[in-house]
């Protein structure tokens, strides 16, 4: 940009193409006179904070930020998530084996502030690890500070709902060859009464033990015997053409992944391969944890680009939700967890619901879930919407991202790429809160899932992150 | 009597739309008070202090529409049910945007989402947000027309510096009008296409000059507003200079007119020098500028809006114009009628009138006590030239060019005041103005007592405007007003009426060339003919 460019370049040479911001009626006369007028459905940006709005304006079309975001997007899209292994968490994350450490979903939280379902999951994990003999013993242990807690995200791991992970639980390993990055998630327990939803009981504990003793080793042997690791990007891309959005609907992807492994599992019957196949036959959520780990891997690659405003994590612990931003280091920007607007199982209602919980919203940050809602007509019915509404959500989310996925395509929108690279600038500018598809846990410990629906990432996370963002110097300033 | 609040999540409407909707919803009997505001902390506080805040209004957020209604239960419920519809009437609220069809995609919610190739942002958000929107426009490579006022002047300086760096133009803040290549922006008139390009720091002044050019058979290439403070010492006239340059480079423009209240002296000097170097004839109307400043070759100084229009029109047609209209002969006021009551919607007209009449009338009040709800306005015991578009009269309600309510109250009072010797009214029509602004004034005139002071009115606009110049003039004439062609002429008529025998000073430093008895538009035209 030269110091003094030509005055009012181009203004008087043609019919202006007008964008109207503010009083709607002003759009009429120029339009009637033959100008193209785009009416902006405007509202005060930055949740009405003029000072933050002014800071935001200085980041609009900023060359350093645009370049950083393009770099972050390229890194995210460049990741090829390969499922290579299943191993006990304690082997992959040594601290889990060395101390009484439990990982949990969402941003950091201490025992005293944890919600009911997460407390229940902590109790279940303490029982599983043999740290306590009874639920009350486990609670006393946690209350006494004898258990350390850390977010899954701090160990490149993601866990759905309560996301509580202990040393003996098997984790799936996803790797990107080019960068050498790895990410982990636990194995999905299925639907209904699950530890991740805060359900407790013999049935829950028995399944967890079986998963560690039989399912994990069988899967490990099966995946190890394949000619090459499973490319989860291909599975996801196919599943999006088959009605999944790979957050709240994983039916097709789960079937595809099971098909990939079934012969190998059958060959390892002695380790539990046939039991595994029986288990997978009923588990429509099986792929969720793979979708999450693959998303986490991609966003890990996109994290840490200086000046990038791309969100690289969104996670909820049932009390707080938080985001991380590529150019803002390891800080969490948090807000109170939002309620979930959804449908409930018989006998339950909104009063029973825990606020938004789980690391699974990492999928939205990778262009899946709510961002890919246009791919999943079935789940739209489940949350009370229409296919038209689902298309609209995906279109709206595309106004908040820096780009689109090259491989993940949305049939409902003429196979356009799903929106990827949530940009805090755009969220704060438009006042649109990102849409998340999610399950609903009962707020009391020990009960489990009671429904599913849609929720939003609260604006506060984004305004706080933007407040922390420094405007990079600009050439010519 | 009940009080109810309702909160509509994520429903934003600008305050003008909210006030209009509230006015409509308050009409049915049984509704005592209704307030529609965005749920900002400040607005919630205002409602709380008025005793209008209850649940769920306490929890409204800044992007939520908060409705508070007090009245009879049935009427309150009806009003609450009609809020969204009232906001989505023609030209109101979010519904006025592009139609959300199946394939239209989601509405654009920010400038960043505007289609590629957008070249000009028309910004009319509340003042605290306007500079940020304008900066976004510039950063995205668009020119900006900023209608919003209440933008801090240091933000204006930064914006205009940024615009210059990028070779873009910021019209405003507080820019009322522009016509770019025939496309009207903000408040603008349907004027004939022609060879006269205008740049001005006064919106109504630009409307007056461009409409007069149209009525004189001439036409305009472009009208560029700069915002009222562009020519101040702090801002330094960057937009007027850039606008001049743009018009100088524009092949359609042959003559350039500058319109402004007086710029800061050094800014005026720079601008005149700049105008002299433009290579095209320039008519500069800096209302109230020190008349001793010499004009460079090629620059004609016009002391009034009418003279500016006549000078430019005569340059455009390449000869002298036919004389202007004869001044109406008004009966001399009888005691105790002795005071002027000039009630303007256009601030520039008030400025011009005070300038023209000040030397003749002496002490003129420029303010009056702001209206108190439920009480008739009070008028000072002095001549009064009032700008009803001023902040103190527009707090919480639209500008008098849109909403005649406040001015009508002052008009009724002035008509009933036995001291009033003359009442002056301006009626600005065109895009953005009220659909029938003359009607409300005419109604007040027809309801006035039998013995009223003469009312002198002028209509700014053209017959191609939606309201129609001739039609609006007829309404005023039928109601008994003396209708003249321009703001300048209206001031002259008052001068003749109120100080017969006193010379009307046209511009400081210039000798008045006509006696009051012969003062007329034709006399001034011949003088302009000499200077042009």
């Amino acid at each position: 940009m030269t110091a003094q460019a030509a005055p009012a370049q181009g203004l008087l040479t043609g019919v202006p193409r007008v964008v109207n911001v503010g009083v709607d009626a002003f759009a009429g006369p120029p339009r009637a006179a033959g100008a193209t007028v785009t009416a902006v459905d405007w509202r005060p940006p930055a949740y009405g904070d003029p000072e933050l709005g002014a800071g935001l304006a200085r980041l609009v079309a900023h060359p350093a930020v645009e370049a950083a975001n393009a770099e972050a997007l390229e890194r995210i899209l460049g990741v090829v998530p390969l499922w290579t292994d299943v191993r006990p968490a304690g082997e992959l994350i040594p601290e889990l084996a060395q101390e009484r450490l439990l990982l949990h979903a969402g941003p950091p939280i201490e025992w005293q502030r944890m919600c009911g379902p997460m407390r229940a999951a902590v109790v279940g994990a303490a029982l599983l690890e043999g740290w306590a003999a009874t639920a009350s013993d486990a609670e006393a242990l946690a209350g006494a500070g004898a258990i350390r807690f850390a977010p899954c995200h701090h160990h490149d791991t993601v866990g759905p709902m309560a996301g509580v992970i202990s040393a003996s639980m098997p984790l799936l390993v996803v790797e990107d060859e080019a960068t050498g990055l790895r990410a982990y998630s636990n194995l999905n327990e299925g639907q209904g009464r699950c530890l991740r939803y805060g359900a407790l009981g013999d049935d829950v504990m028995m399944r967890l033990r079986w998963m560690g003793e039989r399912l994990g080793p069988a899967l490990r042997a099966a995946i190890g015997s394949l000619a090459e690791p499973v490319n989860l990007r291909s599975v996801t891309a196919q599943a999006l053409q088959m009605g999944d959005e790979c957050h709240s609907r994983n039916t097709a992807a789960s079937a595809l992944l099971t098909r990939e492994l079934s012969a190998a599992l059958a060959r390892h019957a002695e380790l539990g391969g046939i039991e595994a196949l029986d288990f997978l036959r009923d588990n429509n959520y099986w792929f969720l944890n793979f979708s999450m780990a693959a998303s986490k891997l991609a966003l890990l690659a996109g994290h840490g680009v200086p000046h990038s405003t791309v969100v690289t994590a969104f996670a909820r612990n049932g009390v707080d939700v938080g985001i991380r931003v590529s150019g803002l280091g390891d800080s969490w920007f948090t807000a109170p967890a939002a309620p979930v607007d959804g449908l409930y199982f018989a006998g339950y209602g909104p009063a029973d619901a825990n606020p938004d919980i789980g690391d699974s919203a990492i999928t939205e940050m990778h262009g899946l879930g709510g961002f890919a809602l246009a791919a999943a007509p079935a789940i739209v019915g489940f949350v009370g919407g229409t296919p038209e509404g689902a298309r609209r959500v995906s279109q709206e989310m595309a106004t908040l991202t820096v780009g689109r996925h090259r491989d993940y395509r949305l049939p409902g929108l003429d196979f356009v790429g799903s929106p990827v690279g949530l940009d805090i600038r755009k969220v704060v500018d438009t006042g649109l809160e990102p849409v998340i598809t999610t399950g609903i846990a009962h707020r009391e410990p020990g009960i489990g899932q009671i429904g599913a629906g849609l929720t939003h990432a609260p604006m506060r996370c984004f305004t706080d992150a933007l407040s922390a963002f420094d405007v990079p110097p600009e050439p010519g300033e | 009597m009940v009080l109810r609040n309702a909160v509509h999540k994520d429903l934003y409407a600008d305050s003008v739309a909210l006030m209009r909707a509230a006015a409509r919803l308050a009409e049915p009997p049984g509704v005592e008070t209704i307030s529609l505001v965005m749920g900002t902390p400040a607005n919630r506080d205002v409602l709380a202090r008025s005793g209008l805040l209850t649940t769920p209004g306490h929890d409204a957020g800044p992007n939520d529409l908060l409705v508070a209604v007090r009245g009879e239960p049935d009427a309150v419920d009806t009003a609450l049910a009609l809020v969204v519809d009232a906001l989505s009437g023609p030209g109101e609220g979010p519904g006025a945007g592009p139609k959300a069809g199946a394939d239209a995609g989601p509405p654009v919610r920010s400038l960043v989402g505007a289609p590629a190739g957008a070249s000009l942002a028309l910004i009319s958000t509340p003042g605290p947000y306007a500079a940020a929107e304008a900066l976004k426009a510039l950063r995205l490579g668009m020119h900006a027309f900023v209608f919003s006022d209440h933008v801090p002047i240091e933000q204006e300086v930064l914006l205009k510096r940024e615009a210059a760096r990028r070779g873009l133009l910021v019209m405003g803040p507080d820019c009322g009008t522009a016509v770019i290549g025939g496309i009207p922006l903000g408040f603008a008139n349907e004027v004939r296409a022609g060879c006269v390009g205008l740049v001005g720091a006064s919106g109504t002044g630009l409307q007056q000059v461009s409409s007069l050019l149209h009525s004189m058979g001439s036409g305009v290439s472009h009208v560029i507003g700069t915002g009222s403070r562009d020519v101040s010492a702090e801002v330094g006239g960057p937009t007027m200079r850039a606008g001049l340059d743009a018009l100088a480079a524009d092949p359609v423009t042959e003559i350039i007119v500058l319109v402004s209240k007086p710029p800061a002296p050094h800014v005026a000097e720079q601008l005149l020098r700049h105008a002299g170097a433009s290579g095209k004839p320039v008519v500069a109307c800096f209302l109230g500028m020190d008349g001793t400043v010499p004009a460079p070759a090629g620059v004609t100084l016009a002391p009034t809006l009418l003279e500016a229009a006549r000078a430019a029109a005569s340059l455009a047609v390449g000869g002298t114009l036919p004389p202007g209209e004869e001044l109406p002969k008004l009966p001399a006021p009888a005691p105790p009628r002795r005071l002027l009551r000039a009630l303007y919607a256009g601030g520039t007209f008030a400025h011009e009138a005070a300038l023209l009449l000040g030397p003749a009338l002496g002490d003129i009040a420029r303010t009056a006590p702001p209206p108190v709800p439920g009480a008739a306005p009070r008028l000072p015991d002095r001549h009064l030239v009032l700008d009803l578009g001023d902040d103190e009269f527009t707090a919480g309600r639209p500008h008098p060019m849109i909403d005649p309510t406040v001015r009508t109250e002052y008009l009724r009072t002035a008509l009933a005041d036995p001291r009033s010797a003359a009442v002056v009214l301006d009626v600005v029509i065109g895009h953005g103005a009220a659909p029938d602004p003359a009607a409300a004034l005419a109604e007040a005139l027809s309801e006035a007592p039998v013995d009223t002071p003469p009312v002198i009115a002028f209509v700014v606009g053209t017959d191609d405007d939606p309201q129609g110049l001739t039609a609006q003039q007829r309404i005023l004439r039928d109601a008994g007003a003396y209708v003249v062609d321009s703001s300048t002429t209206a001031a002259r008529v008052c001068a003749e009426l109120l100080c017969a025998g006193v010379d009307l000073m046209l511009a400081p430093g210039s000798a008045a060339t006509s006696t009051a008895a012969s003062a007329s538009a034709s006399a001034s035209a011949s003088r302009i003919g000499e200077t042009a």
Side-chain angles (χ1 to χ4, degrees):
Chain A
M1 204 65 63
T2 53
Q4 287 290 338
Q9 51 186 332
L11 178 64
L12 307 183
T13 50
V15 175
R17 273 175 284 182
V18 178
V19 188
N20 187 44
V21 183
V23 179
D24 296 295
F26 278 158
R31 189 178 283 145
T36 314
V37 181
T38 303
V40 173
D41 183 12
W42 186 88
R43 66 221 62 221
Y47 220 49
D49 175 353
E51 204 175 312
L52 185 56
L56 168 67
R58 297 177 60 208
L59 287 171
V60 164
H62 193 298
V65 178
E66 300 300 329
N69 286 346
E71 164 75 17
L73 181 67
E74 225 17 73
R75 291 194 197 176
I76 290 167
L77 297 184
V79 164
V80 182
L82 301 178
W83 175 29
T84 57
D85 206 354
V86 173
R87 290 169 67 188
E91 293 177 19
L92 296 165
I93 302 165
E95 294 101 307
L96 284 171
Q98 291 158 1
E99 56 176 314
R100 280 180 179 166
L101 170 66
L102 293 180
L103 306 186
H104 62 79
I109 189 167
E110 63 278 19
W111 165 258
Q112 281 72 19
R113 293 185 65 237
M114 282 180 188
C115 65
M118 187 173 280
R119 281 172 171 245
V122 165
V123 167
L127 295 174
L128 185 71
E129 298 302 322
W131 299 342
T134 65
S136 54
D137 286 356
E139 283 176 359
L141 209 58
I147 300 174
R148 186 164 80 83
F149 297 100
C152 291
H153 273 283
H154 291 190
H155 295 275
D156 300 344
T157 304
V158 278
M161 302 310 286
V164 169
I165 290 170
S166 64
S168 66
M169 294 181 185
L171 298 186
L172 63 94
V173 181
V174 180
E175 299 182 52
D176 176 50
E177 268 181 22
T179 58
L181 290 170
R182 289 174 139 208
Y184 315 111
S185 181
N186 50 3
L187 298 179
N188 193 280
E189 303 161 77
Q191 280 144 286
R193 290 177 40 75
C194 300
L195 189 73
R196 69 175 190 276
Y197 279 102
L200 281 176
D202 289 345
D203 52 337
V204 174
M205 298 311 295
M206 271 180 62
R207 184 169 56 230
L208 285 175
R209 288 202 185 88
W210 172 79
M211 289 173 77
E213 289 162 10
R214 300 286 285 172
L215 180 62
L219 286 168
R220 181 169 204 209
I223 191 85
S225 69
L226 295 180
E228 48 190 60
V230 178
N231 184 336
L232 297 176
R233 189 161 79 180
S234 306
V235 177
T236 305
Q238 285 182 68
L240 288 174
Q241 310 306 304
M242 298 167 70
D244 285 357
E245 39 73 274
C246 296
H247 179 174
S248 278
R249 183 174 171 94
N250 292 280
T251 308
S254 299
L256 289 170
L257 194 60
T258 302
R259 189 180 66 169
E260 198 81 25
L261 281 185
S262 52
L265 280 171
R267 280 187 212 107
H268 293 94
E270 78 290 355
L271 292 172
I274 303 298
E275 296 154 48
L277 285 168
D278 277 330
F279 174 72
L280 296 183
R281 187 186 60 190
D282 290 335
N283 191 344
N284 283 330
Y285 273 86
W286 176 241
F287 188 74
L288 170 62
N289 302 51
F290 293 86
S291 180
M292 289 170 59
S295 296
K296 175 64 184 172
L297 186 69
L299 293 161
L300 263 179
H303 190 74
V305 180
H307 308 315
S308 169
T309 51
V310 167
V311 176
T312 48
F314 173 56
R316 314 93 90 200
N317 61 34
V319 177
D320 308 315
V321 303
I323 63 168
R324 278 176 160 178
V325 177
S326 179
L328 284 173
D330 288 336
S331 306
W332 289 99
F333 300 93
T334 63
V340 181
D341 181 17
L343 296 182
Y344 290 85
F345 301 160
Y348 297 105
D352 305 312
N354 199 77
D356 196 19
I357 183 168
D359 287 336
S360 55
I362 193 76
T363 55
E364 268 82 6
M365 303 305 107
H366 193 215
L368 301 170
F371 286 45
L373 208 55
I379 195 180
V380 169
F382 185 55
V383 296
T386 60
E388 164 67 36
R391 284 196 294 274
R392 189 181 165 83
V393 169
S394 285
Q395 287 175 318
E396 282 183 345
M397 294 306 102
T399 67
L400 303 180
T401 61
V402 298
R404 291 182 179 275
H405 209 287
R406 290 191 284 258
D407 303 288
Y408 298 171
R409 296 186 171 272
L410 307 177
L413 289 172
D414 297 336
F415 299 96
V416 69
S418 71
V420 185
L422 182 64
D423 186 341
I424 57 170
R425 294 176 304 172
K426 294 182 173 178
V427 175
V428 173
D429 200 6
T430 60
L432 265 186
E433 292 178 329
V435 172
I436 312 293
T437 59
T438 194
I440 304 173
H442 199 288
R443 60 167 64 248
E444 301 297 334
I447 297 175
Q449 183 176 11
I450 58 170
L454 290 185
T455 186
H456 294 85
M459 186 57 61
R460 179 66 197 283
C461 300
F462 300 91
T463 51
D464 282 1
L466 194 73
S467 301
F469 205 93
D470 289 326
V471 180
E474 215 171 337
E477 256 187 0
Chain B
M1 204 63 87
V2 296
L3 168 66
R4 291 200 182 129
N5 280 189
V7 175
H8 298 265
K9 293 294 282 179
D10 196 37
L11 175 60
Y12 176 82
D14 63 80
S15 57
V16 174
L18 290 175
M19 288 183 291
R20 284 182 175 180
R24 275 202 296 282
L25 292 168
E27 281 166 11
V31 178
E32 186 202 69
T33 310
I34 182 159
S35 173
L36 273 65
V37 294
M38 299 310 296
T40 60
N43 284 338
R44 291 201 311 265
D45 196 42
V46 168
L47 286 189
R49 276 186 277 113
S50 321
L52 286 172
L53 192 65
T54 178
T55 36
H58 300 286
D59 299 325
N63 288 356
D64 305 335
L65 173 64
L66 167 52
V67 186
V69 196
R70 183 159 45 209
E72 301 303 330
D74 287 353
V76 165
D77 290 343
T78 307
L80 285 173
L82 289 173
V83 163
V84 175
D85 280 349
L87 279 173
S88 48
E92 304 280 9
K99 293 284 167 285
D103 298 309
V108 175
R109 291 176 52 128
S110 82
L111 269 169
V112 175
S119 61
L120 191 146
L122 205 172
I123 295 162
S124 55
T125 67
Y129 308 105
E133 296 302 322
L135 179 58
K136 284 177 204 168
L138 295 174
R139 298 190 66 99
L140 293 163
M142 299 178 215
H143 304 284
F145 174 102
V146 186
F147 181 85
S148 318
D149 55 4
H150 301 295
V151 175
I153 195 161
E154 55 280 5
Q155 290 183 9
E156 177 171 350
V157 171
L158 289 174
L159 274 179
K160 289 184 169 175
R161 203 172 288 161
E162 186 72 24
R165 219 163 59 79
R166 295 173 182 266
L168 297 169
L169 197 70
V170 173
M171 295 175 265
D174 194 20
C175 183
T177 187
V179 181
I180 305 296
I183 304 298
L185 302 172
F187 292 1
N189 300 99
E190 285 290 332
V191 287
R192 193 178 301 110
C195 66
V196 183
L198 288 78
V199 197
S202 148
T204 43
L206 286 170
Q207 287 187 271
Q208 174 72 90
V209 175
S210 58
S211 296
L212 286 171
L213 282 167
H214 178 98
S215 73
M216 294 167 188
S218 188
V220 308
S221 54
H222 309 279
V223 179
I224 298 173
T226 67
S228 53
R229 295 179 309 204
D230 185 68
V231 294
S232 64
E234 294 96 314
V235 183
T239 300
M240 189 168 282
R241 223 164 27 245
L244 239 170
D245 290 342
L247 291 175
D250 173 44
V252 182
T253 303
E254 293 167 21
I255 295 143
I256 299 171
V257 179
L258 307 180
V259 181
S260 172
K261 293 184 198 175
H266 76 275
V267 177
E269 214 172 298
Q270 277 176 5
L271 285 170
L272 290 176
R273 214 168 33 238
H274 207 75
S278 70
K280 293 183 180 175
V282 176
V283 176
C285 174
F286 293 157
L287 290 171
M289 190 183 71
D290 176 4
T292 59
V293 175
V299 179
T300 305
L301 296 181
T304 66
L305 297 169
L306 176 61
E307 269 95 338
R310 289 187 65 87
S314 113
L315 284 166
V317 301
T320 42
L321 296 175
E325 67 178 9
E326 286 294 314
L327 294 194
K329 284 287 163 217
L330 272 55
R337 298 201 177 279
R338 59 193 168 83
L339 296 178
L340 172 67
R341 305 312 192 180
L343 307 174
Y344 290 104
T348 299
F349 305 142
H351 182 80
E352 187 190 40
L355 207 68
L356 293 177
L357 292 164
L361 299 186
D363 180 37
I364 299 177
R366 297 299 310 279
T367 59
V372 179
R378 287 182 299 119
L379 302 177
D381 192 34
R382 300 152 63 192
H383 295 299
L384 176 66
V385 172
L386 197 56
D387 171 11
L388 286 145
D390 212 58
D391 287 350
E392 55 184 324
F393 301 101
T394 55
R397 52 168 67 250
H399 192 276
M401 277 164 65
I402 305 174
D403 178 351
T405 315
V406 171
R407 182 157 70 155
T408 308
E409 287 170 24
Y410 279 83
L411 174 59
R412 288 181 201 280
T413 303
L415 291 173
D417 184 347
R419 299 166 296 175
S420 299
V423 174
V424 181
L425 297 171
D426 59 343
V427 173
V428 182
I429 61 172
H431 300 295
D436 187 4
L441 300 173
E443 191 187 325
L445 293 183
S446 62
E447 289 168 9
V450 181
D451 176 30
T452 55
V455 175
I456 300 111
F458 59 97
V459 181
V460 177
T462 74
D463 272 333
D464 295 335
D465 283 324
Q467 304 88 343
L469 174 69
T470 311
Q472 292 283 298
Q473 287 175 329
R474 187 179 307 121
I475 291 170
L476 292 167
R477 255 188 213 111
D478 289 350
Y482 297 92
V483 178
V484 298
D485 63 353
S486 66
S487 58
T488 311
T489 306
R492 283 214 178 91
V493 170
C494 292
E496 189 173 4
L497 190 67
L498 296 176
C499 43
V502 178
D503 280 357
L504 174 58
M505 191 132 104
L506 286 173
S510 76
T513 54
S514 57
T515 63
S518 66
S520 70
S522 63
S524 67
S526 63
R527 187 171 56 260
I528 287 294
E530 286 153 23
T531 53

